[in-house]
Amino acid sequence: MILYRGKLYETSHQTKLLQKLEKDINDTRVNKRLDISKVIASVDVIGQKLENGVYRERIEALGMEGIEEQIRTISAMASRESLEYRMAVELGELKEPLLSGQPVNVRQESSLTELDTYVYPLGTLFHIGAGNREGLPVYSVLEGLLTGNVNILKLPQADQGLSIEILQTLLEIEPSLAEFLYVFDTPSTDLDAMCAMARMSDGVVVWGGDEAVAAVRRFAPPGIRLIEWGHKLSFAYLSGLEEMEEKALDQELQALAEHIISTRQILCSSCQVIYLDQQDMEEVHKFCRRFLPYLERAALGFPAKSIGMRAQLSMSRYCDTLQKVITKEKVSKRQVFHGRDCSLTACEDMELELSEMFGNCLVKRLPKEKMPEMLRRKKGYLQTAGLLCPEGKRQEFLKRLAVCGVTRITSVGKMSETFSGEAHDGDYPLRRYVRVADVTKR
Amino acid sequence: MKNRSRLFGWKEPFDVARTEGLFLEAVKENCRFQYEHCEPYRKILEHFQFSPEDLKENKDIERLPFLPTWVFKNHTLFSMPERRMLIQATSSGTKGKFSRIGFEFSGLWSGLRMVWKIGRWRRLFSFCPAHYIVLGYKPHKGNQTAVTKTAYGATLFTPALSRTFALKIKNGSYEPDLDGVISAIEKHSKGRFPVRFMGFPSYLYFVLRKMEEQKIRVKLPKGSKILLGGGWKQFYTQQVDKQILYQLAEQVLGVKESEVIEFFGAVEHPILYCDCPKHHFHVPVYSRVVIRDVDTLKPVKMGEVGLVNLITPMTLATPILSIMTDDLGALHEGNECGCGIKSPYLEIIGRVGFQDIQTCAAGAAAYLNEK
């Protein structure tokens, strides 16, 4: 299905529609300015609908876990208050000029300035949605609308129709958005169409893994702003546990275990490796023995993995070893601590890497002196660090983690929680979806 | 390779109990050869601190490091120069990667002797000509898959009057032609000669369902047989109870359950597993099965479900001596079957794998899809 200026078309109309898309977009850009307050108002209504259970059946049919929690988070994010707060945080002094079309005030007050600075939407955004989370394509388009852009969305192949349905509802609430929204279900393999859409855009927003990002880098013409929301890796960092009060430590470890199990370690923000600020391997083994019961307890609250999945995990582990043996890579020593439906693997190396996921976490040493060397190897992939240490050491570690390139630092139990006004992978998306135009005063 | 020759020439194909010692010797002989001629294989054995000389009793076969089919899909492991291999076959590679397995003359010869023994036992050979309906791929120069070769090979069990294929090349790719199959069935049902089906059970099921929907019922000539193999492949979700398939075959084609014969095999373990009249896969003398715990990969007890590890000393060209399949299964005592064969039988229960997982952790999607 294609959604073009509020009307639905069969996929077979793609070529015809693409031929007139650029002209239609140019007409809109010249003649219309998107009223962002209307975007905020209609998104707020969508949020309320979501909270009132309008899409409940559809969302449940997707078979996601923790639906209640997710719906609560999304409707909170869609509220007027939250949207306005987000715009204020991300756009700062650029927010009002974007909304009003007036130049940036601050500059006018200074005697130095010879310019009027206007804030415009970047122009046309081409969103390449990823199928890894339902609703993500809609989310990306909403960010584009919030900054007044014309949006072309390429749906992920796995999309089951929910995205178009939600966007249609949005247009019912606010028909004036229709000219700013085009949705195509083009497959990624249709390079001609993808290139055509990229060529008429000012920015390409790509969600997905390395492969998706690399593909966009190959076909996007130079000069177009690339906004890449790639896949990331996260970890927990534990230091000075022996100095911590027993009860507080116990709670934190349980929270970490629940985070690992409940996110199944498949999110960008999921803990893949638990790093200990230690030199000694014996300490790593000791920690595994201590932490395994916490992980087992957390696993009890979730459905057990299927036998096929357990078999797959064991085989992957075994194949990894054989791969290294065959390619003569050094096989680092690993000791697996099996728990019921979960495991911890004590590793001798210090590399930040993907775990086997699904409740199978890696545990490694990483003395703080080694932190820059090891973490910098994964620059571009670093996202959340869950930090657990005595209060007195907190500042020191926050700074060190941030310097290494980590973009979110939370307590160990909250690594995957959403916080109002937080950046996205170290960046403010809205800031990237606008541009400034300087005009000399005469 | 005296021991292999004796093993594959053994008179009784299911006389597992009396071939234990011979099997061990044949495995040892094969293991030594692979160890000496295939460097990656030697490295793997050394990594697990195992030497061919450690094979002292049958129990030791369980300790022999096994190679998952994943290894053959990602690495080409050969133990002799390619010019000495008579043929190379590949797996069907449903995820885009496939195993390349080479066979030398003596290995193939062993295989032929095995097929002769098993085929005679299950009365697969006949001088009476038959029409063949291959529920699989029509051979094509671009298709090296073993499943195509064996399905075609099975049409040589009797003189073939005609061959109809369910999957034909159309515009460069295979497309099912169920209507063509159905009209061939209707035509042959009126003739004198028996019809033999050979191929994927899923396609037989699709054909039978379609005939049932169109209310087409035939009675195939006496001696008609249905030979099934190659598993359910991409149609796992539509897997039907075998019993339903047998009933459908009798209702729609008039072929009795006893004439439905199922095979199980893999290019990485080229042993002809053929079901007994009670439809159980008894372990033949050429092969041994170890079921392994899904978490620890240690052998489990009889009757317990685990990963299926298959062992055979049939081939020298590729180190497929002990391989781990992607199947989950269980081994049962032979006498629980009731067909008279005493060797244990293998039951295939499912496949390893993740469900559809959506992830944004770096590298996770590739990890989940590749293994």
Side-chain angles (χ1 to χ4, degrees), chain B residues 157-202:
Chain B
F157 288 172
T158 70
L161 292 168
S162 70
R163 295 186 179 95
T164 308
F165 294 87
L167 289 166
K168 288 183 184 157
I169 290 271
K170 209 173 161 187
N171 302 328
S173 66
Y174 278 106
E175 277 184 26
D177 174 22
L178 300 188
D179 292 325
V181 167
I182 293 172
S183 56
I185 293 172
E186 285 188 284
K187 196 175 104 193
H188 300 325
S189 69
K190 293 171 192 135
R192 275 189 317 127
F193 293 103
V195 180
R196 282 197 173 198
F197 292 82
M198 176 68 217
F200 297 119
S202 47

Side-chain angles (χ1 to χ4, degrees), chain A residues 123-158:
Chain A
T124 306
L125 293 178
F126 175 30
H127 305 260
I128 300 174
N132 63 31
R133 269 202 125 168
E134 293 301 331
L136 207 57
V138 176
Y139 178 82
S140 188
V141 166
L142 292 183
E143 288 187 326
L145 288 172
L146 270 180
T147 36
N149 289 283
V150 175
N151 298 275
I152 308 171
L153 166 65
K154 184 212 98 70
L155 286 174
Q157 245 134 346

Side-chain angles (χ1 to χ4, degrees), chain A residues 321-339:
Chain A
T321 308
L322 293 194
Q323 170 74 7
K324 286 184 180 147
V325 173
I326 293 171
T327 56
K328 296 178 190 165
E329 241 182 273
K330 191 172 168 261
V331 184
S332 66
K333 270 199 182 160
R334 298 192 162 194
Q335 189 180 339
V336 183
F337 293 77
H338 288 284

Side-chain angles (χ1 to χ4, degrees), chain A residues 275-303:
Chain A
Y275 278 126
L276 304 176
D277 182 12
Q278 294 286 354
Q279 300 275 4
D280 189 1
M281 251 337 261
E282 187 39 45
E283 291 298 324
V284 174
H285 290 153
K286 225 161 83 183
F287 178 82
C288 288
R289 283 189 289 270
R290 174 180 188 177
F291 187 59
L292 194 61
Y294 289 89
L295 207 53
E296 280 191 308
R297 220 162 23 242
L300 268 182
F302 286 82

Side-chain angles (χ1 to χ4, degrees), chain B residues 9-284:
Chain B
W10 200 259
K11 208 169 156 214
E12 296 285 324
F14 295 100
D15 191 7
V16 166
R18 283 176 52 210
T19 52
E20 291 291 31
L22 182 57
F23 190 84
L24 175 71
E25 286 310 313
V27 166
K28 195 169 180 173
E29 165 185 279
N30 187 295
C31 187
R32 254 189 227 129
F33 183 87
Q34 312 291 358
Y35 187 85
E36 283 163 17
H37 295 89
C38 180
E39 196 204 341
Y41 188 79
R42 183 170 61 246
K43 289 257 176 278
I44 290 169
L45 258 55
E46 281 167 0
H47 175 79
F48 291 103
Q49 292 163 343
F50 192 92
S51 137
E53 306 315 313
D54 292 341
L55 290 160
K56 295 195 174 83
E57 50 181 304
N58 282 73
K59 204 83 187 126
D60 296 330
I61 293 175
E62 291 177 356
R63 287 179 42 235
L64 175 67
F66 49 85
L67 272 58
T69 51
W70 180 89
V71 170
F72 299 99
K73 290 188 172 113
N74 289 275
H75 300 275
T76 302
L77 300 191
F78 287 151
S79 308
M80 54 173 65
E82 291 188 51
R83 64 186 153 76
R84 281 188 59 200
M85 296 173 195
L86 210 58
I87 61 164
Q88 285 185 20
T90 62
S91 62
S92 32
T94 38
K95 279 181 183 171
K97 284 186 176 171
F98 42 79
S99 308
R100 263 177 79 202
I101 309 291
F103 295 94
E104 79 288 3
F105 176 79
S106 54
L108 270 183
W109 177 242
S110 302
L112 280 177
R113 294 167 81 190
M114 163 187 77
V115 171
W116 177 246
K117 291 255 161 37
I118 300 267
R120 282 234 316 224
W121 160 72
R122 205 61 167 99
R123 300 206 173 89
L124 296 178
F125 305 119
S126 165
F127 289 112
C128 175
H131 292 286
Y132 279 93
I133 291 183
V134 179
L135 302 160
Y137 304 100
K138 182 171 186 173
H140 179 256
K141 60 179 184 315
N143 185 336
Q144 289 272 355
T145 59
V147 68
T148 310
K149 288 183 183 176
T150 49
Y152 190 82
T155 67
L156 306 174
F157 288 172
T158 70
L161 292 168
S162 70
R163 295 186 179 95
T164 308
F165 294 87
L167 289 166
K168 288 183 184 157
I169 290 271
K170 209 173 161 187
N171 302 328
S173 66
Y174 278 106
E175 277 184 26
D177 174 22
L178 300 188
D179 292 325
V181 167
I182 293 172
S183 56
I185 293 172
E186 285 188 284
K187 196 175 104 193
H188 300 325
S189 69
K190 293 171 192 135
R192 275 189 317 127
F193 293 103
V195 180
R196 282 197 173 198
F197 292 82
M198 176 68 217
F200 297 119
S202 47
Y203 285 103
L204 176 69
Y205 180 67
F206 298 152
V207 166
L208 295 180
R209 280 289 302 275
K210 200 159 181 186
M211 287 177 75
E212 207 189 23
E213 275 164 25
Q214 297 174 357
K215 302 205 167 41
I216 304 171
R217 291 198 173 188
V218 298
K219 176 114 185 67
L220 292 179
K222 200 166 166 259
S224 294
K225 281 185 195 297
I226 296 175
L227 316 181
L228 299 175
W232 286 82
K233 298 282 168 208
Q234 64 269 47
F235 302 107
Y236 245 85
T237 48
Q238 294 186 44
Q239 188 162 10
V240 286
D241 196 305
K242 279 186 193 173
Q243 215 53 46
I244 293 174
L245 193 66
Y246 301 145
Q247 278 169 12
L248 212 53
E250 181 150 10
Q251 278 165 15
V252 179
L253 303 174
V255 177
K256 286 208 177 71
E257 186 188 322
S258 56
E259 299 303 320
V260 184
I261 299 164
E262 199 178 341
F263 299 103
F264 164 80
V267 62
E268 299 90 351
H269 185 76
I271 296 302
L272 184 67
Y273 268 77
C274 179
D275 69 357
C276 71
K278 301 226 171 216
H279 301 298
H280 290 139
F281 293 119
H282 290 272
V283 178

Side-chain angles (χ1 to χ4, degrees), chain A residues 77-96:
Chain A
M77 274 161 63
S79 73
R80 173 187 295 274
E81 189 192 0
S82 161
L83 293 173
E84 281 178 351
Y85 177 66
R86 196 178 152 195
M87 289 187 77
V89 170
E90 297 197 14
L91 296 173
E93 61 167 3
L94 306 185
K95 181 189 168 192
E96 282 313 316

